[in-house]
Amino acid sequence: MVISTELRIDAKRLAARLEALGAVGAIAGGGVCRLALTAEDRAGRDLVAGWMRELGLSVTVDAIGNVIGVREGLESGAPVMAGSHIDTVRTGGRYDGNLGVLGALEVIQTLNDAGLTTRRPLAVAFFTNEEGARFNPDMMGSLVYVGGLPLDEALATVGIDGESVGDCLKKIGYDGPAPCGQPEVHAYVELHVEQGPVLDLDGITIGAVEGVQGISWTEFAVLGVSNHAGTTPMRLRHDAGYVACAIANHAREIARSLGGDQVATVGAIKLSPNLVNVIANQAVFTVDLRNTDEAVLQDAERRLHAFAAEVAKAEGVELSHRSLARFEPVAFNPHVVNLVEATARRLGHTVRRLPSGAGHDAQMLARICPAGMIFVPSVAGISHNVKEFTALPDLEAGANVLLHTLLALAK
Ligand code: HGY
Ligand code: MN
Ligand code: MN
């Protein structure tokens, strides 16, 4: 009988699954493009759900397309769940999200090989549209799962390309029959690449994640007057392009003046008619503000909107805005954070605590059960970029910490 404390995952098998999933929607440079609910996402879902079934999990698909595989325990009841997402941004890396789902599958296969059944059932999940890049907000599937977003509102959401979540789910065949939020979850642990530079710079293998910073996504729309770039005197212009760029520049200024953890990003911007010799009459762009401190994040939002209103008035353009996502900072369950840290130490890995700069499904599961995360280093802190990379020994360490954290929670 294998002593469970000596159990270790099979790193080569984990690497092989990451490779196979990384080939679905592969793009130049070693990255992946599997935007939520596209044909590529469907292909990735089919591959991973197939592995779930091969490993003997009983797989359900819920009405927002979350896929949950359950492994019986010696007792029935709420499972201990591990998971993440397999949708990616347009220029995604192979590890963001995928590692958490495939690391969980590797844990299941390790337990199967050892003939070990945990007291509590285990579950592996991948949640729909964690990235929020095509349909806002991010963490959509897990937010519906925990009751934070009504299903019909999520299904009615129209994406950046004009299609609705509901239509796309049907198109890819993942408008599942199961009610959202089943099964109830006893505890949730998510393995994820850090996507920032902290662990890599410190030369530390494991991150015991204390929580997730607050996220504020706003879309601004500016309506000005298009006119001739050559003949229109500056004092007569109502230039939507200028206003968009002024606000974008000010977002950076807000982050600089607040300092600390404040970050600000203008990632998407569209001008129309978008021609070299026409003053833009329309600009639509997004501002992503984040901070670990809710009060400072609100101050950043206030400063942004005050400046935007002022520069729009001065330029004589109309300005409107809508929130695409707004989540307050989340603190993970101290017992789970302590368990991750102690497990990493017991397995002989260096470990430190840190907050997450990125949003994760774990921050939603934290609303309904004790939740926590395990980070492994991202080389040079690169992510949401095809060059995202984590060395195999670090992937292996993270999956082993996941294995033993789950065993501790499920016994
Ligand atoms: O935006 C985020 O933080 C995550 O990647 N959805
Ligand atoms: Mn992710
Ligand atoms: Mn991501």
Side-chain angles (χ1 to χ4, degrees), residues 19-239:
E19 182 81 20
L21 183 53
V24 180
I27 54 176
V32 190
C33 175
R34 291 199 304 270
L35 284 171
L37 310 185
T38 56
E40 292 78 14
D41 185 25
R42 184 203 53 230
R45 286 165 166 265
D46 291 350
L47 180 62
V48 176
W51 284 331
M52 286 179 166
R53 292 188 181 94
E54 273 170 30
L55 291 174
L57 300 182
S58 53
V59 178
T60 55
V61 181
D62 74 15
I64 193 67
N66 296 320
V67 178
I68 321 275
V70 176
R71 182 179 196 260
E72 290 307 306
L74 296 171
E75 295 175 9
S76 59
V80 173
M81 182 184 274
S84 192
H85 61 96
I86 58 171
D87 66 299
T88 74
V89 293
R90 195 172 278 137
T91 53
R94 297 186 151 210
Y95 307 96
D96 177 359
N98 303 313
L99 174 62
V101 179
L102 300 186
L105 285 186
E106 176 49 37
V107 164
I108 298 294
Q109 187 150 10
T110 301
L111 296 177
N112 288 354
D113 294 352
L116 206 151
T117 304
T118 49
R119 181 165 75 83
R120 295 182 188 282
L122 294 175
V124 177
F126 59 83
F127 294 101
T128 293
N129 184 33
E130 185 279 342
E131 291 295 356
R134 184 183 180 202
F135 305 99
N136 316 122
D138 51 349
M139 288 77 74
M140 180 186 273
S142 49
L143 186 59
V144 172
Y145 191 92
V146 303
L149 175 66
L151 173 63
D152 49 5
E153 212 177 299
L155 295 173
T157 302
V158 174
I160 55 175
D161 45 22
E163 294 197 77
S164 78
V165 166
D167 290 349
C168 294
L169 268 176
K170 279 198 190 67
K171 221 188 276 181
I172 67 168
Y174 276 88
D175 52 328
C180 298
Q182 299 298 328
E184 300 214 345
V185 183
H186 174 71
Y188 178 85
V189 186
E190 181 166 350
L191 169 62
H192 205 289
V193 288
E194 179 202 332
Q195 301 182 286
V198 174
L199 295 178
D200 189 41
L201 285 177
D202 286 2
I204 288 185
T205 307
I206 299 291
V209 188
E210 293 176 300
V212 178
Q213 68 177 341
I215 299 176
S216 160
W217 288 358
T218 304
E219 179 187 77
F220 286 96
V222 187
L223 189 57
V225 176
S226 63
N227 215 324
H228 195 296
T231 60
T232 312
M234 295 315 283
R235 70 181 191 292
L236 297 183
R237 293 183 179 215
H238 305 288
D239 183 344

